[in-house]
Structures are given as C-alpha cells and as structure tokens.
Amino acid sequence: MKLKALIVGILWCCLLQFAKAQTGFSYAGGANFMGYAKAGTALSGTEAIYLNQAGITGVKNMAFDLSAERRYNLEELTQISLAAIKSFKIGTFGIMASSFGFNAYNEQKIGLAYGRKLAKNITLGGQFDMLRYNIDQVGSSNVFSFEVGILTQISEQLTLGAHVFSPIHVKVNEVDKISTRFRLGLKYMPSKKVFLLADTDKTLEKAMEFKIGVGYAPIQVLSLMAGFNTLHSTWHFGAMLNFDDTYKIKTAIGSSHILGNSPAISLQYEN
C-alpha cells in the first residue's frame, strides 16, 4: 500500500506540473487501441469515434461501445468511455463521453461527432467537444473545442488517416491551454487475416511518438493484437472475441518496465 501511495503521489505531481504549463486530454477507447500501442488513426468502425471521427462511417446502422482502462493498474488513474453511433442517409452521427482521473485531478469529455463520405475513397469527420478540467487547489474549468479527421482509401490494401485535435488556440485559464495534437496513420492489409498499423502522434510541445501495431485473425471468432511505442518503449498485447460481427469483447494490456502494466477492456455491440 505504501508503494502504491508513493506511485500515485509521483504521478499526481507530474500531472500537476504538466497542468501548470500545458493541459491536454487523455486517450479514450480502452482495449480498442491499447493492443495496438494506441495506434489506429486509419481504422474505421465504432472505435473510430475516439481517435478519428472520419472512420465512424464504417458503422452501417447502429453501434455502442463501453471501454475502460486502468493506467499502471492504479484505481486512481482509471478512464471510462462510452459511445453511441447511428448511420443515416445524410451521414453518420455519434456521441461519446469519457472520464479520467481521481479527486485531485479529473478530466471529462463529451463529444458530438459527424462523418460523411465525400467521394468513393475519401471520408471526412469531425467532433465538437466540451471539456471539463478539475485540478485540486487550482479549480475547475469548462472549455469548448473541436477535432477533425480524414480517411483516404489509397488502394484496396492501404488506407491513410489524418486527425487533428483542438487546432485552434483554446485557453483553460490565464496560464494553461489545450494542447493541439496531430495524428497521421497508415493501415496496410496484405491479407484478410492480417493488417499492420503505423501512426505518428505529435503535440506542439512534446516529442513525436511513433507507434506500430499488428492485428491477426487466425479464425473468424478470434483476433490477436500487438504493438510497440518507440518513444515510451512500451509493449502492448490484446485479443478480441467476435460473435457474428455483432458482439465484440476486447481485452488488452500495455507494459512499461518503469511504471508497470495498464489493463484495458472494451465491449461493443453493432446492429
């Protein structure tokens, strides 16, 4: 317990120092991306609402997602996210909500998303965000921003995705602001059973992250995931059970040799 309290204290100090200069927003989506080292800017489907809203056009009717992640296996650093998506003739709409943190530091996000095909091989999506930050001894703040993404089907095997979060200057208070985040990703599918992911992830004030992931489906009901983040030297693994393309259960874990393991789970339903 003493070791756990010490780790939480260290993480809290890091979060507080980070918040004084530059606030940001944590990843949502649980095991949907954890198994790929949180790559997936070029993915489409239900989980795309968390990373690149252009991909939600992959939902043909209606879908729901419930995800959770416990960062470094600490209850205080748990993130929960929920999403619902519905397709219409005029495009695909979605709503998502997520919460991360504990009493001393907490982030909440509510997003309204829209995606639409502009051409046969080009899809555009965006999301309007309401973000709430609560920092102990600093206070709470509600701000509004947006994000936008695009997917391009370069060939039958290759997809390119690009996404930017909060491209405009949004201040949380006199000192802190929301960090603009750029993502660029590729998905290469050499066969029906295997696909490869490669993402770059960059905020204006931090070093670029490079993430690689692979998905392999040995049988229709089972898929395996693996990934690596070069900046943080973290390994990621996961698995998905797929029941008639309607119900999906995903579990994954990210492993850091310094901070420990981060387990995650995602439950999906698509009608």
Side-chain angles (χ1 to χ4, degrees), residues 22-267:
Q22 190 78 35
T23 58
F25 203 84
S26 304
Y27 287 96
N32 289 307
F33 305 107
M34 177 67 79
Y36 306 120
K38 299 191 176 180
T41 308
L43 289 177
S44 63
T46 309
E47 59 268 30
I49 194 170
Y50 300 119
L51 209 60
N52 184 357
Q53 294 77 27
I56 65 174
T57 56
V59 175
K60 302 306 178 185
N61 184 19
M62 180 181 292
F64 301 91
D65 179 271
L66 175 62
S67 296
E69 174 189 343
R70 179 172 288 191
R71 201 154 306 170
Y72 315 125
N73 208 23
L74 296 173
E75 182 180 356
E76 294 82 357
L77 301 184
T78 297
Q79 182 166 47
I80 299 175
S81 50
L82 176 67
I85 301 168
K86 182 72 172 73
S87 179
F88 299 92
K89 290 184 178 180
I90 59 172
T92 305
F93 293 85
I95 182 170
M96 61 79 63
S98 68
S99 178
F100 167 78
F102 58 116
N103 292 335
Y105 182 88
N106 190 267
E107 303 172 353
Q108 287 115 26
K109 176 181 181 180
I110 297 176
L112 298 175
Y114 174 73
R116 182 180 177 86
K117 279 199 170 187
L118 299 182
K120 181 180 179 180
N121 298 324
I122 300 176
T123 305
L124 184 68
Q127 183 168 285
F128 176 73
D129 296 324
M130 182 182 74
L131 309 173
R132 177 177 174 82
Y133 297 83
N134 179 55
I135 305 173
D136 193 24
Q137 299 180 355
V138 176
S140 300
S141 180
N142 297 316
V143 295
F144 299 90
S145 190
F146 70 95
E147 47 197 292
V148 62
I150 190 169
L151 282 180
T152 302
Q153 192 75 36
I154 299 174
S155 68
E156 190 173 323
Q157 292 82 26
L158 188 63
T159 305
L160 172 68
H163 182 267
V164 57
F165 168 74
S166 193
I168 60 174
H169 182 78
V170 178
K171 296 187 70 174
V172 178
N173 50 47
E174 293 301 320
V175 179
D176 309 316
K177 63 180 180 179
I178 298 175
S179 181
T180 301
R181 189 171 206 143
F182 301 94
R183 296 186 180 99
L184 184 67
L186 284 171
K187 177 185 176 183
Y188 175 61
M189 196 167 183
S191 73
K192 292 183 178 181
K193 291 187 176 184
V194 178
F195 66 83
L196 306 173
L197 299 173
D199 274 30
T200 58
D201 190 336
K202 179 74 171 71
T203 56
L204 294 181
E205 297 78 17
K206 297 176 65 178
M208 181 179 291
E209 297 181 40
F210 183 66
K211 310 164 188 177
I212 54 176
V214 57
Y216 171 58
I219 55 177
Q220 185 175 358
V221 73
L222 176 66
S223 296
L224 304 176
M225 300 173 278
F228 181 70
N229 182 308
T230 60
L231 179 63
H232 303 295
S233 298
T234 53
W235 290 94
H236 301 253
F237 304 95
M240 177 183 72
L241 293 176
N242 183 2
F243 302 99
D244 298 324
D245 292 326
T246 301
Y247 299 96
K248 296 178 181 179
I249 302 174
K250 304 178 185 180
T251 61
I253 190 167
S255 180
S256 168
H257 68 283
I258 298 175
L259 296 173
N261 298 327
S262 299
I265 188 170
S266 294
L267 307 175

